[in-house]
Amino acid sequence: MVCTILCIGMAGSGKTTFMQRLNSHLHSKNIPPYVINLDPAVLKVPFGANIDIRDSVNYKKVMHEYNLGPNGAIVTSLNLFSTKIDQVINLVEKRSDQFQHCIVDTPGQIECFVWSASGAIITEAFASTFPTVIAYIIDTPRNTSPTTFMSNMLYACSILYKTKLPMIIVFNKTDVKKSDFAEEWMTDFEAFQEALASDQDLNDESQGSGYMSSLVNSMSLMLEEFYSTLDIASVSSYTGTGFDDFLETIDKKVDEYNEFYKTERDNILKEKEKQDALKKEKSLNHLMKDLGLSKDKKSSNKEEVEVVSDLENELEPGEDDDAEGLQEPDREYTFAEDRNGDFLDEDIQKRYQDALDATSKNSSSATAENIAKYIRGSQG
C-alpha cells in the first residue's frame, strides 16, 4: 500500500528542497517515490515529478483571467486542480504496485490547507484511498523567537484539526540551527516561559505588554495536549541528515493511521451513509404523504392505494365516490360535463362552434358582443 506524505509549511520553510532531498534519499535506497507537485507558481522544480499541476493549470493565465494577485491566483489554481483530483488518485492507484511512497509538494500559501476548499478536497481524496501523513515543515532558524514559534504551532494545530490526519513536525535547516530548543519548548512548559521572559527583556517593544505575555503562556498550555500527539523529526535538507529517522517516523505514523485514524474515518463514513439513508427515507415518506400514498396498506384503517395507477381502478364508472372513503374536491367543469365525460346538453357544442365561426367573420369591435350573445343563448 502506497503511503502518501503531504509536505505542508509556511513560505520559505524549505518544502521544495526537503522534497528534493527526500526524493534523492529514497532513490538511494532503491525505493523511488511517486512525486506530485501542487505548486503552480514555482519556476523550477529540482526533482522529477510524475504529476505536475503546471501541466494542467496556467498560473499566470488564472491571475489575468480572474484579476487576482499572486496569492489569490495560487489558491484559485489549486481550487481548479482539485476538481480533477479523482483522476490524480486513479493514476496513483494504477502505479501503486511500483511505489511505496507518494510525496506531494504544496504551495507556501498555507491558507490553502487552513480554510480553502481545495486543501480539504485533496487531503480527503488521498486519505480515503491511501494511508496519509502530514509532514509540517518548520524553518528552525526563524523560530528561535517564542512568539514566532507559537504562531507556527497554531498553524500546525489548525491544519491537524482541519485534516484529522497523523502529523509529523519536521524541523528543517538543522545545519544552521539545532532544533533542541524547540523540542524542549514542546515538552517543558517552564522552559518556554523562561524563553518568553528572556525574549521580552531583549526586545524593548515587548516590555510592558503583559497581555501578550499572558496570552502566549495560555496558548502554550492549551497546545500541551496537541504536542503530545505529535512526532518530531529534525532534518537538514542541505546535508541530508535525519532522513532515516524521518522515514522511521513515517512508518510509525502509517501504523497509527491504520489503527486509529482509518477506523475513525470508516466510522465517520458509515455514520454519514446512515444519515443519508435516513434523510432519503424521510424525503420519500414526505413525498408519499403529499401524494396520498402509503407503503403499507395494513398500517391504516382506510384502504389506500399504493400507486397512482391504482386510483383509476378503485372506482368503477357510476360508483359512489365516497364508497371507499376517498373524498375528491368539488370540481368545476367548463362544459358542464358529467363524470363520464358526456355533455348534458347535446346542442351546447354546436352553439360554441357557431360562436367561434362568428368571431372570425365579424370585426374585432363586435367580437366581445357576439361571444356574449352566444354564451347567453347557450346558458338559456
Side-chain angles (χ1 to χ4, degrees):
M1 179 65 71
V2 175
C3 168
T4 303
I5 304 172
L6 293 175
C7 299
I8 301 174
M10 304 289 284
S13 60
K15 295 184 302 298
T16 302
T17 309
F18 173 84
M19 282 278 297
Q20 185 271 335
R21 177 61 68 174
L22 179 59
N23 182 42
S24 300
H25 189 76
L26 291 173
H27 273 278
S28 67
K29 292 181 171 294
N30 295 322
I31 47 173
Y34 195 89
V35 184
I36 300 176
N37 172 48
L38 295 183
D39 189 349
V42 64
L43 296 178
K44 184 179 179 181
V45 177
F47 49 81
N50 298 90
I51 297 177
D52 196 331
I53 187 176
R54 297 176 301 171
D55 298 333
S56 304
V57 181
N58 189 322
Y59 160 73
K60 291 185 178 180
K61 187 175 181 180
V62 169
M63 187 188 301
H64 175 75
E65 186 74 18
Y66 297 97
N67 297 320
L68 298 171
N71 291 347
I74 290 174
V75 175
T76 303
S77 298
L78 202 61
N79 288 340
L80 293 172
F81 185 78
S82 65
T83 61
K84 303 295 183 182
I85 193 62
D86 57 325
Q87 299 180 16
V88 175
I89 299 299
N90 290 335
L91 290 173
V92 178
E93 280 187 308
K94 290 179 180 178
R95 305 287 297 277
S96 60
D97 58 337
Q98 304 176 24
F99 302 98
Q100 297 182 21
H101 303 88
C102 175
I103 57 178
V104 183
D105 191 16
T106 62
Q109 280 63 26
I110 202 170
E111 56 268 21
C112 296
F113 292 89
V114 175
W115 58 264
S116 179
S118 58
I121 293 172
I122 291 171
T123 53
E124 281 290 329
F126 278 106
S128 60
T129 311
F130 314 106
T132 304
V133 180
I134 302 293
Y136 188 79
I137 315 298
I138 292 179
D139 186 346
T140 307
R142 291 186 180 180
N143 282 266
T144 54
S145 169
T147 52
T148 305
F149 173 80
M150 180 57 59
S151 176
N152 225 326
M153 289 297 103
L154 289 174
Y155 267 114
C157 182
S158 63
I159 291 175
L160 178 65
Y161 178 77
K162 180 85 172 179
T163 61
K164 296 179 175 63
L165 292 172
M167 176 179 285
I168 302 175
I169 298 295
V170 181
F171 289 104
N172 195 17
K173 306 181 182 180
T174 54
D175 57 296
V176 178
K177 176 67 176 179
K178 296 294 183 182
S179 62
D180 298 339
F181 70 95
E183 296 179 22
E184 184 181 13
W185 289 351
M186 295 175 68
T187 55
D188 190 344
F189 173 71
E190 293 182 356
F192 180 80
Q193 282 186 317
E194 293 175 1
L196 182 63
S198 177
D199 183 67
Q200 289 178 340
D201 292 339
L202 293 175
N203 297 279
D204 294 336
E205 296 179 358
S206 299
Q207 288 184 348
S209 180
Y211 169 75
M212 289 303 300
S213 176
S214 176
L215 177 63
V216 175
N217 282 327
S218 299
M219 287 190 295
S220 63
L221 281 173
M222 177 196 70
L223 293 176
E224 186 175 1
E225 181 66 22
F226 167 66
Y227 295 149
S228 65
T229 63
L230 298 177
D231 282 291
I232 301 172
S234 299
V235 302
S236 171
S237 299
Y238 181 74
T239 63
T241 57
F243 278 86
D244 286 328
D245 295 335
F246 172 75
L247 291 177
E248 291 179 2
T249 308
I250 287 291
D251 294 337
K252 177 182 177 182
K253 284 297 182 181
V254 169
D255 294 336
E256 180 181 327
Y257 172 89
N258 293 325
E259 184 177 357
F260 299 105
Y261 288 84
K262 187 176 185 300
T263 303
E264 181 179 354
R265 294 178 68 84
D266 291 342
N267 292 335
I268 293 174
L269 291 176
K270 289 179 181 179
E271 183 64 24
K272 186 176 183 300
E273 291 177 358
K274 182 179 178 180
Q275 294 296 329
D276 291 342
L278 291 175
K279 289 181 180 178
K280 185 177 179 180
E281 181 70 16
K282 186 176 180 180
S283 299
L284 180 60
N285 290 337
H286 282 305
L287 176 61
M288 296 186 71
K289 183 178 180 181
D290 292 341
L291 295 176
L293 307 179
S294 174
K295 294 190 297 181
D296 187 5
K297 286 188 176 181
K298 298 181 180 179
S299 62
S300 175
N301 293 329
K302 296 182 179 181
E303 188 175 349
E304 298 177 326
V305 294
E306 291 192 357
V307 294
V308 177
S309 60
D310 289 344
L311 186 60
E312 301 173 357
N313 300 327
E314 287 291 330
L315 297 178
E316 297 295 335
E319 196 173 354
D320 188 5
D321 294 345
D322 296 332
E324 299 294 334
L326 296 176
Q327 296 181 356
E328 292 184 347
D330 295 333
R331 293 184 59 182
E332 296 180 358
Y333 294 89
T334 307
F335 297 111
E337 60 183 316
D338 64 3
R339 289 302 305 271
N340 294 324
D342 297 328
F343 290 100
L344 297 175
D345 189 353
E346 297 179 355
D347 192 46
I348 192 170
Q349 191 171 9
K350 182 176 182 303
R351 291 175 181 269
Y352 272 86
Q353 184 62 42
D354 293 340
L356 182 61
D357 295 337
T359 57
S360 62
K361 295 179 181 180
N362 298 330
S363 61
S364 58
S365 61
T367 299
E369 181 181 353
N370 290 331
I371 292 175
K373 176 182 177 182
Y374 279 93
I375 291 176
R376 286 195 298 271
S378 64
Q379 292 176 345

